[in-house]
Amino acid sequence: MGFIGVANPKEYQATIAALQKRHAPTTFSWVKGHAGIEGNERADELAKEGCQKEQADTVELVVPPTLKLTGAKLKGMTQALAYKAIRHHKMMKRTYQEALNRRITKINMGRAKYMINELQGTEPSDKLFWRSLRHKDFSRKYRYFIWMTAHNGYKTGEYWQNIPTFEHRANCPQCGEIESMEHILTECENSNQKLIWSLTEELWRNKKPEWIEPRFGTIIGCGLIKITNKEGKHLAGDSRLYRILISEAAHLIWKMRCENVIQGKEISNAEARRRWKATIQSRLEIDCLMTKIRLTKRRLDQKIVKCTWSEVLEEQDNLPENWMGESGVLVGIRTGMG
């Protein structure tokens, strides 16, 4: 299928070309690993030697045009494969690669990876970081928001310093500091921003006493954060709730900032509290609905939903056992005064 969606396509193409150069038939046979077979044992030794090298060997992967296999069979093509092919072609363009290599993008990615390393002791790869921005626990609107934030794609702060007659937009209207995305989400003295994070922390502490402070790096990399217990076991429900709370809170802060700056709308603490509660309540209701849908790939398991929202629901002890699937059951989140 034209190597669409296949890892290491260049290596596969070079290998196939080398086999086609042979004048004799080539056959393959499966060999059981670690069974004392000389060729297999030698292959393992070479693989270990390769892993231990400080500098990788240069392997010639140029394929002659006459031996290069391209394209895909139409009878085997699907809409999903076609989309992957178009996306791959777009990613190979110079403008796309330049966007990935932007200095500010690398800085933001580095800050996220540093925070994950501080929290979990391991630094994620670039590929894992980019995949985390499209985490299934994020809403579609947040996936777009965090992708733009990672690339510094929003027009904030220093962007306006180079626009004549709009230089004043570079500074925060509340505290006068340069209004970067980091400033908007974590540093500004705006009472709404502090209130949103305070409410988020309060709800989280109903589930866990430890609170991971939402810094700029943790917000960008929250799709990689894993909550564990004292024995180091991954708590999937807790991790999912943390991702939901951080992503929804950050996006709400951004939306209220845009309304304030662009529309001139003053948002009171009471209104901010109401909107935060409505946002989290909406995610809870969507989770309940997702346990009912018939589409297998998108359907949520009731167990993970129960693990996610346990300890943060109002009157949880009085709810029926199958509160997610029963119609007419009103489920709310616990909220304090903030």
Side-chain angles (χ1 to χ4, degrees):
M1 293 306 300
F3 302 98
I4 301 172
V6 176
N8 306 315
K10 292 183 179 179
E11 287 76 5
Y12 272 112
Q13 287 178 321
T15 302
I16 292 172
L19 293 174
Q20 288 180 322
K21 287 181 180 179
R22 290 171 52 87
H23 299 290
T26 303
T27 59
F28 294 88
S29 62
W30 178 81
V31 176
K32 184 178 181 180
H34 309 291
I37 300 174
E38 183 179 357
N40 181 261
E41 295 297 327
R42 181 53 182 157
D44 288 341
E45 292 176 5
L46 292 173
K48 290 180 181 179
E49 291 177 11
C51 292
Q52 294 171 357
K53 287 186 176 181
E54 296 183 359
Q55 186 174 0
D57 294 334
T58 301
V59 180
E60 184 62 51
L61 296 177
V62 177
V63 179
T66 56
L67 298 177
K68 189 171 184 179
L69 299 178
T70 60
K73 294 181 179 180
L74 289 178
K75 67 177 182 179
M77 179 62 69
T78 63
Q79 185 175 358
L81 281 175
Y83 174 77
K84 287 182 179 180
I86 294 171
R87 187 169 181 270
H88 177 75
H89 178 71
K90 180 180 178 181
M91 291 173 65
M92 291 298 104
K93 290 185 177 180
R94 180 178 58 84
T95 52
Y96 191 95
Q97 292 299 317
E98 288 177 353
L100 291 179
N101 291 324
R102 293 174 66 227
R103 177 175 173 272
I104 189 62
T105 299
K106 290 185 175 181
I107 290 175
N108 289 338
M109 180 171 63
R111 295 181 66 180
K113 292 169 67 175
Y114 173 81
M115 290 305 303
I116 299 303
N117 190 25
E118 284 285 301
L119 293 170
Q120 300 177 173
T122 56
E123 183 174 307
S125 63
D126 292 356
K127 183 178 180 180
L128 195 59
F129 167 77
W130 290 117
R131 185 183 299 172
S132 73
L133 300 186
R134 304 190 305 274
H135 201 287
K136 62 181 181 180
D137 292 339
F138 295 153
S139 63
R140 181 176 295 181
K141 59 188 178 184
Y142 184 76
R143 292 175 191 173
Y144 177 80
F145 167 74
I146 200 63
W147 188 89
M148 288 285 288
T149 299
H151 287 290
N152 198 35
Y154 287 110
K155 299 176 181 179
T156 59
E158 296 179 353
Y159 171 86
W160 296 105
Q161 291 180 336
N162 301 318
I163 309 298
T165 71
F166 285 94
E167 294 88 350
H168 61 283
R169 287 195 178 184
N171 299 99
C172 175
Q174 273 78 28
C175 54
E177 298 292 333
I178 295 295
E179 196 178 37
S180 63
M181 184 61 76
E182 180 178 9
H183 177 81
I184 294 169
L185 295 179
T186 63
E187 296 177 348
C188 185
E189 296 298 322
N190 182 292
S191 58
N192 286 337
Q193 181 242 88
K194 287 187 174 182
L195 175 62
I196 295 301
W197 288 127
S198 175
L199 291 169
T200 304
E201 179 182 356
E202 181 181 356
L203 183 64
W204 172 258
R205 287 190 185 276
N206 289 318
K207 192 176 187 70
K208 287 285 183 181
E210 302 84 10
W211 168 244
I212 302 174
E213 196 68 27
R215 301 180 181 178
F216 190 64
T218 54
I219 292 173
I220 296 178
C222 69
L224 294 166
I225 293 178
K226 294 183 179 180
I227 307 298
T228 59
N229 59 14
K230 294 181 180 179
E231 290 74 32
K233 182 181 179 181
H234 178 219
L235 303 174
D238 294 2
S239 300
R240 186 169 184 272
L241 179 64
Y242 185 81
R243 286 190 287 266
I244 290 174
L245 293 181
I246 293 298
S247 61
E248 295 295 340
H251 190 251
L252 179 59
I253 291 170
W254 167 249
K255 286 197 300 183
M256 291 195 298
R257 175 266 177 194
C258 291
E259 292 175 11
N260 178 260
V261 174
I262 299 174
Q263 302 176 12
K265 181 179 179 180
E266 293 292 336
I267 301 174
S268 65
N269 285 347
E271 173 68 8
R273 185 181 294 108
R274 184 196 65 78
R275 291 181 61 175
W276 174 85
K277 182 176 181 179
T279 299
I280 306 302
Q281 184 72 39
S282 176
R283 282 304 305 266
L284 170 60
E285 293 171 359
I286 289 173
D287 271 10
C288 292
L289 291 173
M290 293 290 283
T291 63
K292 303 177 185 178
I293 62 175
R294 297 180 180 179
L295 297 177
T296 307
K297 290 185 178 180
R298 299 188 63 187
R299 185 174 183 176
L300 283 176
D301 190 333
Q302 290 191 5
K303 290 182 180 180
I304 188 65
V305 175
K306 185 176 291 187
C307 290
T308 300
W309 298 100
S310 63
E311 310 301 329
V312 300
L313 301 178
E314 289 180 340
E315 301 182 359
Q316 180 169 306
D317 296 336
N318 298 325
L319 293 173
E321 182 66 22
N322 187 25
W323 53 266
M324 293 156 286
E326 293 190 15
S327 59
V329 177
L330 299 178
V331 184
I333 59 171
R334 292 181 181 179
T335 55
M337 295 304 295

